[in-house]
Amino acid sequence: MSATEAIPTAECAESPPLLTAETFVIPSLAGRYIVYAPLRRAAFIANARVVNFLADLQAGRFDAAADPDGSLTEFLRHLELIDAGPEELPITTFSGEPEPTEVTLFLTTACNLRCTYCYASAGDRPAKFMSLEVARRGIDFVLANAVRKQIPAIGITYHGGGEPTLNWRVMTESLQYAREVAATGIEVKASTASNGVLTDEQINWITTNLQGVSLSFDGLPAAHDRHRLTVLGTGSSERVIHTLKRFDDAQFNYGIRVTVTKDQIPLLPDSIEFICAQFHPARIQVEPAYQIGRWEHAPSAETEEFIGAYRQAQQRARQHGHEIYFSGARVGLLTNHFCGVTQDSFALSPDGNVSACYETFSEENTWAQKFFYGQPDAQSNSYRFNLPVLNHLRQQAVQHRSYCQGCFAKWNCGGDCYHKSLTVNGADEFAGTDRCHIIRELTKDQILDRIDVAGGIFWHEPDTVLAAQHKETR
Amino acid sequence: MKQQLPQFGLQRVADGDTDLSPAIVPLTARRDFLGAGLSAAAALWLTGCAPGKSEVSEPPVTIKAPTSELKAHHNGVSALALTANGQTLASASDMNVKIWDLQTGRITTTLKLDAEAKAMALTADGQKLAAVIGKQIKIWSLAQGEVWHVVPEPVNRVGALALSPDGQLIAFDDDSTLNLWSPAQSRLLQKVEGAYADALAISADGRRLAMHTTAVVKFYSLPDLREQKESFLCGVGMGSDIGLTSDGKRIAASVLLDDKVAKVWDAVTQKVRLVLEGHQTYLRAVALAADGQTMATADLNGVILLWDLREPRFRSVAYDRTETDSKVKGINYKARDLATGQMIGYTVPCSESLPIAASCVCNCVAGTYNARTAQQGRAQRPRARVTQDSPVEYRPLEIARPQLQEVPRFERRIEIPRYEPQPVRPIEPIQPLTPGGTFKKPCGAPVPPGMKCTCNCIPGNF
């Protein structure tokens, strides 16, 4: 039916079906469209007639002639796209004074590596080290919140614009302190990011005391050593591989983060296969190198070539029973947040000030004023928070971003990284980045994967994720 | 990649001329979305095929074949085909097609090709073979060993083909168009646009074509090639290769790419009925006889396993001794098929157990060596002991070392250098750049008393 023909209005029909799902249409080849209803966790591939039938329903018109036997209506009803009641939006919001129960400690900006693409430019400036007192204050704060909120666990993450293990004394003693002061019944969960250049003693302690490690490793030794250099200018892969083998021997839970520069894109499939064949990480994350810090003026890796290499790498990984993932493509998750920045993330710089962003680890960072929202309270053992700054961060959740409203991936990526959008768009309103294209393409792959696994006709997983969403409003 | 405002919200789109009614499009292995659309009614019917939706049912039966290195081809098999009664097998590899008489287990014909065969089909009597060779579809008369007919139109992407029992019709899909060709008349009889097939089978009376496309089985009447819309059966998802019975009720597939097991579905009950295990490497082809009683699976190493789906059980391997390492032992024997009364030749690995009332006289199975035969001085060439009442005959498998070069298996393996702490480099004497000014030395060197390190490489020395 063409758009000019008369369409019976909903008023004419006795009980016209109602579109009850936020539905997106992703054009594909040859007049085919992926119809995706993220909040119903449903998707299928259809021709233009089906799309137009749905579009008419959205406009309040029921084209009965397009579905003479009612089977299309029934099919869409089966997938909860019509007549299924209102959808529950996966939105969590935050207000008032933050009450975190997890703390991130940026232990140091010192680093024993000089990675060419380091977002933190670690080593370019005099290093800072967090004191034990700063760490203790943060731990005390989240512990008090856990007790007040009756949450039986606190989290400590060691991170920073350097290698956290270089502030070894504070790392080990702060965790020991947390476990000593934690009340009975409160568990202390700790993890760290690391470049993997560790001594055997450090490995022993980590596998004994931490719940997990996110370890930076770029795969093939030749790829890794090209960019991840020691302060002496030599490759670091031998040390990292030693650490990985030790982790595997201990059956330790760790993830590998692979950073891909433009020149390394062709090596990505081989690098992933190397990792999958040699090691046993619980997670493998692949990200194009960020054009910030030491890599600010380098060629972008956020390209079509990256997407192609990622797809090949995913195939290789699956042959080994692994799955790689990219931070913004996550069909399995429904959320309005990309990360903790919009969820009152509580991270302490070496000087003890509060940042919401892992990439803004120092008060000297370019966008520090956007992300530092608190400082130690001289009058108490707590913190003073700058609520206007914090509320501005909370407003970066995806439901507030006008650019994202027409994007099918919005409830999966949650609006992507605010810090990276600032580096691309400046302080102006978010207008999309090259990462958005990568996110959409890889999200589309995941949708098709789900259709495939579900039998090839449609994907529909009701009653799973929405029930697991925690709607938190304070 | 310039970013535009994403606009994926629902809005009307231009109708294609070819789409007359709403259609749901099954996902194909190629992910090109060019497959035939299903009517909403069919899609709705198939909602019952979704995993996890059906009632609890009996678990599938797993059939395990013994580990076999008895090979049919030196390299991976690219295509298989069975006759409707499962008595003749065609297997393609290395630009050869071997025709096997499965009653004797012997190769009757070997065709030398100028390209790899991608998809194949046999007539009911096993006298004609159709295959996609490069950009052509050719039909051979196997008795003469000659090409009988060539479809003159070049083909591009053929997913499956089928021959009618008498060889008078050939159905194949090409670039998502289902074609029905008459070799006798050398003309295209019918075609259906937008039909992608990964398996085709023609019924014994030659009047109905069953087509498997992803997740659905559809039927067409012959020779008018009209879709029989009233009948749909649940198919399987993507498979590296798929076989189909002519009634469309049984589907065999190696489920996903690089899977080592094959599965057999009952398309009526939508359940996996059989799981066939035994291949040591990835499957590359499967074939299901149109009568649904025999199945063949082939892998990357050139091993072909034959399965009897009636009992069901592992039946035999297709074995070509010129393709197999001489160290690999096997057993040949004949036994009477109780259903048909025919004597069937079998080849099984030495580890396979033997039927009752028979003993193995080869020396490949520990503990079953026939000592009495050896005492009679015939140990150099032992013969089978055949009891008078036994319908079973045995003889040791004679295996000659093939004159083939060893081809190293592809393995992507990188030696990881063992980490050895590097010896400490001697520190060169410090040379002042300017008298009384700044000194430079390698990171890691001790800082002299009274001096201050300005880099941050050594924790605590800043």
Side-chain angles (χ1 to χ4, degrees):
Chain A
M1 176 178 287
S2 71
T4 57
E5 290 182 63
I7 298 173
T9 62
E11 290 74 22
C12 297
E14 290 183 0
S15 56
L18 287 175
L19 185 73
T20 52
E22 185 178 22
T23 305
F24 296 95
V25 175
I26 309 166
S28 190
L29 301 174
R32 305 306 199 204
Y33 303 85
I34 301 170
V35 178
Y36 178 41
L39 303 186
R40 301 295 189 195
R41 296 175 61 79
F44 59 92
I45 305 161
N47 66 359
R49 292 298 167 100
V50 174
V51 173
N52 289 338
F53 182 82
L54 283 165
D56 288 341
L57 283 182
Q58 181 175 254
R61 296 176 297 183
F62 173 45
D63 183 4
D67 185 26
D69 62 356
S71 57
L72 178 57
T73 303
E74 192 57 34
F75 176 75
L76 298 172
R77 190 175 285 132
H78 180 84
L79 269 61
E80 299 183 297
L81 267 66
I82 60 175
D83 299 338
E87 291 180 311
E88 186 176 359
L89 297 177
I91 293 176
T92 56
T93 57
F94 296 81
S95 59
E97 292 280 316
E99 296 180 311
T101 57
E102 296 178 4
V103 60
T104 299
L105 302 176
F106 298 146
L107 289 181
T108 180
T109 57
C111 192
N112 45 5
L113 296 188
R114 292 293 182 272
C115 302
T116 59
Y117 52 65
C118 180
Y119 74 96
S121 302
D124 287 358
R125 293 185 176 191
K128 290 182 178 179
F129 290 85
M130 178 180 282
S131 67
L132 185 58
E133 287 67 34
V134 167
R136 282 180 171 180
R137 176 189 280 256
I139 290 168
D140 288 342
F141 183 63
V142 297
L143 200 53
N145 290 333
V147 171
R148 185 166 51 252
K149 296 167 76 173
Q150 296 185 323
I151 294 175
I154 64 166
I156 303 174
T157 303
Y158 299 105
H159 211 283
E163 168 57 28
T165 58
L166 290 188
N167 197 353
W168 186 246
R169 186 179 69 85
V170 175
M171 175 182 267
T172 56
E173 293 186 6
S174 63
L175 184 58
Q176 183 183 359
Y177 170 77
R179 292 196 165 130
E180 287 173 358
V181 299
T184 304
I186 292 188
E187 185 185 2
V188 179
K189 296 179 178 175
S191 62
T192 188
S194 175
N195 60 28
V197 180
L198 304 170
T199 65
D200 279 332
E201 290 74 18
Q202 289 175 318
I203 294 170
N204 292 341
W205 184 88
I206 285 172
T207 55
T208 306
N209 289 279
L210 301 186
Q211 271 71 46
V213 168
S214 173
L215 195 147
S216 297
F217 180 55
D218 291 350
L220 291 171
H224 182 95
D225 290 340
R226 188 163 181 175
H227 290 283
R228 299 191 67 82
L229 306 169
T230 67
V231 291
L232 298 174
T234 58
S236 59
S237 64
E238 288 185 14
R239 297 287 301 272
V240 181
I241 286 171
H242 173 75
T243 300
L244 290 167
K245 288 295 186 188
R246 288 287 321 275
F247 282 174
D248 283 336
D249 290 344
Q251 298 184 322
F252 182 64
N253 170 45
Y254 68 94
I256 289 178
R257 181 217 162 90
V258 178
T259 301
V260 187
T261 54
K262 183 177 175 62
D263 62 300
Q264 304 282 54
I265 288 175
L267 295 179
L268 178 60
D270 284 347
S271 282
I272 293 299
E273 185 160 15
F274 174 72
I275 290 172
C276 294
Q278 302 292 345
F279 310 111
H280 305 285
R283 301 162 305 283
I284 304 172
Q285 180 180 358
V286 178
E287 300 284 332
Y290 304 153
Q291 288 178 285
I292 53 179
R294 207 175 278 144
W295 209 241
E296 181 178 359
H297 302 295
S300 172
E302 294 167 356
T303 61
E304 294 288 354
E305 288 74 25
F306 171 80
I307 296 170
Y310 184 97
R311 286 170 170 155
Q312 285 185 36
Q314 185 70 279
Q315 287 183 351
R316 300 265 191 97
R318 286 174 178 166
Q319 289 175 1
H320 292 269
H322 283 277
E323 190 88 7
I324 61 174
Y325 77 94
F326 171 71
S327 58
R330 42 194 194 187
V331 160
L333 179 67
L334 293 178
T335 182
N336 62 325
H337 306 285
F338 172 73
C339 67
V341 163
T342 53
Q343 304 180 81
D344 296 359
S345 173
F346 181 72
L348 298 180
S349 72
D351 290 338
N353 296 313
V354 183
S355 171
C357 177
Y358 284 10
E359 292 174 12
T360 310
F361 51 86
S362 165
E363 295 79 354
E364 298 166 4
N365 291 144
T366 305
W367 299 101
Q369 289 185 334
K370 293 277 187 186
F371 294 98
F372 273 91
Y373 68 91
Q375 59 191 66
D377 184 357
Q379 307 302 319
S380 71
N381 198 27
S382 183
Y383 292 85
R384 285 189 291 115
F385 294 109
N386 185 335
L387 287 182
V389 172
L390 183 58
N391 287 331
H392 177 76
L393 293 173
R394 290 164 172 168
Q395 289 296 308
Q396 304 310 314
V398 74
Q399 75 271 23
H400 301 299
R401 288 192 165 188
S402 60
Y403 171 85
C404 300
Q405 296 318 301
C407 180
F408 65 86
K410 65 177 179 179
W411 294 123
N412 304 123
C413 94
D416 201 25
C417 173
Y418 180 43
H419 184 267
K420 294 186 187 68
S421 77
L422 285 171
T423 61
V424 174
N425 297 299
D428 298 335
E429 186 176 1
F430 182 63
T433 67
D434 287 344
R435 279 176 58 90
C436 291
H437 179 66
I438 297 173
I439 289 170
R440 281 194 281 269
E441 285 299 302
L442 300 184
T443 300
K444 190 168 71 177
D445 288 352
Q446 294 177 352
I447 294 169
L448 294 175
D449 286 343
R450 278 160 173 74
I451 295 174
D452 176 25
V453 170
I457 303 289
F458 65 90
W459 165 55
H460 183 215
E461 283 183 65
D463 312 322
T464 51
V465 168
L466 283 179
Q469 292 288 329
H470 301 290
K471 188 163 188 175
E472 185 178 355
T473 304
R474 291 198 306 265
Chain B
M1 291 187 288
K2 182 176 172 56
Q3 295 304 314
Q4 298 175 335
L5 191 65
Q7 293 179 325
F8 296 96
L10 259 182
Q11 52 190 337
R12 289 187 66 89
V13 296
D15 273 0
D17 292 333
T18 57
D19 290 330
L20 300 177
S21 57
I24 312 300
V25 183
L27 187 63
T28 66
R30 298 168 185 160
R31 293 201 172 181
D32 54 10
F33 312 128
L34 293 174
L38 293 172
S39 69
L44 181 61
W45 193 92
L46 290 166
T47 56
C49 302
K53 298 269 180 148
S54 53
E55 68 281 4
V56 177
S57 62
E58 292 180 7
V61 175
T62 298
I63 318 274
K64 292 187 179 179
T67 301
S68 174
E69 296 178 26
L70 301 166
K71 297 171 75 166
H73 293 273
H74 188 66
N75 288 316
V77 175
S78 61
L80 290 174
L82 278 166
T83 52
N85 59 8
Q87 291 191 359
T88 304
L89 171 73
S91 62
S93 175
D94 290 339
M95 295 194 290
N96 288 326
V97 174
K98 295 177 182 176
I99 309 297
W100 306 75
D101 180 345
L102 297 186
Q103 273 196 271
T104 62
R106 291 176 179 167
I107 298 170
T108 58
T109 307
T110 299
L111 300 175
K112 304 287 185 186
L113 310 177
D114 50 9
E116 194 71 276
K118 293 176 185 171
M120 299 193 296
L122 285 161
T123 52
D125 59 4
Q127 292 300 305
K128 287 191 175 66
L129 170 79
V132 180
I133 311 293
K135 295 284 185 183
Q136 286 188 312
I137 294 177
K138 295 181 179 179
I139 303 176
W140 281 264
S141 173
L142 296 177
Q144 283 77 39
E146 297 174 347
V147 174
W148 173 65
H149 179 77
V150 178
V151 176
E153 297 295 325
V155 293
N156 188 22
R157 292 197 301 178
V158 176
L161 55 78
L163 274 170
S164 62
D166 58 4
Q168 295 303 305
L169 295 173
I170 179 168
F172 61 94
D173 82 309
D174 181 27
D175 271 345
S176 298
T177 298
L178 181 61
N179 301 278
L180 187 66
W181 181 268
S182 167
Q185 302 173 40
S186 193
R187 70 182 182 92
L188 185 67
L189 299 179
Q190 296 291 341
K191 68 176 182 177
V192 175
E193 303 277 357
Y196 162 76
D198 48 29
L200 293 167
I202 295 176
S203 61
D205 61 5
R207 297 178 64 178
R208 191 169 80 154
L209 172 72
M211 180 183 83
H212 182 276
T213 187
T214 305
V216 63
V217 179
K218 299 165 78 169
F219 298 96
Y220 296 87
S221 60
L222 295 177
D224 55 357
L225 211 57
R226 286 192 179 176
E227 184 180 340
Q228 299 177 319
K229 292 189 176 181
E230 72 281 4
S231 55
F232 290 95
L233 293 172
C234 293
V236 298
M238 291 191 297
S240 54
D241 198 17
I242 290 177
L244 181 68
T245 56
S246 58
D247 62 4
K249 293 181 179 176
R250 263 194 161 177
I251 306 161
S254 50
V255 189
L256 293 169
L257 292 173
D258 297 327
D259 205 337
K260 295 177 186 173
V261 302
K263 293 182 179 178
V264 177
W265 274 259
D266 186 325
V268 177
T269 62
Q270 309 154 17
K271 302 291 188 299
V272 176
R273 303 314 310 164
L274 301 173
V275 177
L276 310 178
E277 297 180 359
H279 286 278
Q280 304 303 303
T281 185
Y282 304 127
L283 286 175
R284 278 294 174 265
V286 300
L288 183 61
D291 64 4
Q293 297 188 358
T294 306
M295 182 170 162
T297 54
D299 66 25
L300 197 58
N301 284 348
V303 171
I304 297 176
L305 301 181
L306 302 168
W307 310 83
D308 187 337
L309 302 187
R310 294 169 300 178
E311 292 190 22
R313 65 183 179 95
F314 160 70
R315 174 175 150 180
S316 180
V317 298
Y319 165 65
D320 183 346
R321 69 181 183 184
T322 65
E323 306 283 15
T324 305
D325 191 300
S326 63
K327 295 176 183 174
V328 178
K329 301 289 186 181
I331 306 168
N332 276 344
Y333 68 90
K334 290 182 179 177
R336 193 174 302 281
D337 186 297
L338 298 178
T340 63
Q342 295 173 321
M343 292 295 288
I344 304 289
Y346 298 89
T347 303
V348 295
C350 279
S351 56
E352 180 72 317
S353 60
L354 300 177
I356 298 170
S359 61
C360 173
V361 290
C362 75
N363 60 1
C364 59
V365 184
T368 60
Y369 179 69
N370 190 324
R372 190 175 61 177
T373 308
Q375 286 170 0
Q376 291 169 354
R378 288 181 288 191
Q380 297 300 316
R381 186 174 175 77
R383 294 181 59 192
R385 181 172 63 86
V386 182
T387 59
Q388 194 153 3
D389 300 326
S390 170
V392 185
E393 300 172 352
Y394 296 91
R395 62 184 172 81
L397 193 58
E398 297 172 4
I399 301 172
R401 176 176 285 278
Q403 301 299 314
L404 295 170
Q405 286 187 330
E406 284 293 323
V407 178
R409 282 190 62 188
F410 169 74
E411 288 190 5
R412 187 182 300 276
R413 183 167 293 280
I414 297 172
E415 286 297 323
I416 300 178
R418 184 175 171 183
Y419 170 64
E420 298 286 351
Q422 296 190 353
V424 178
R425 297 181 180 181
I427 306 298
E428 295 177 2
I430 298 170
Q431 298 295 329
L433 296 177
T434 54
T438 307
F439 292 83
K440 284 192 174 180
K441 58 181 182 174
C443 281
V447 180
M451 301 297 288
K452 190 175 182 180
C453 174
T454 54
C455 76
N456 63 355
C457 60
I458 306 174
N461 281 347
F462 175 67

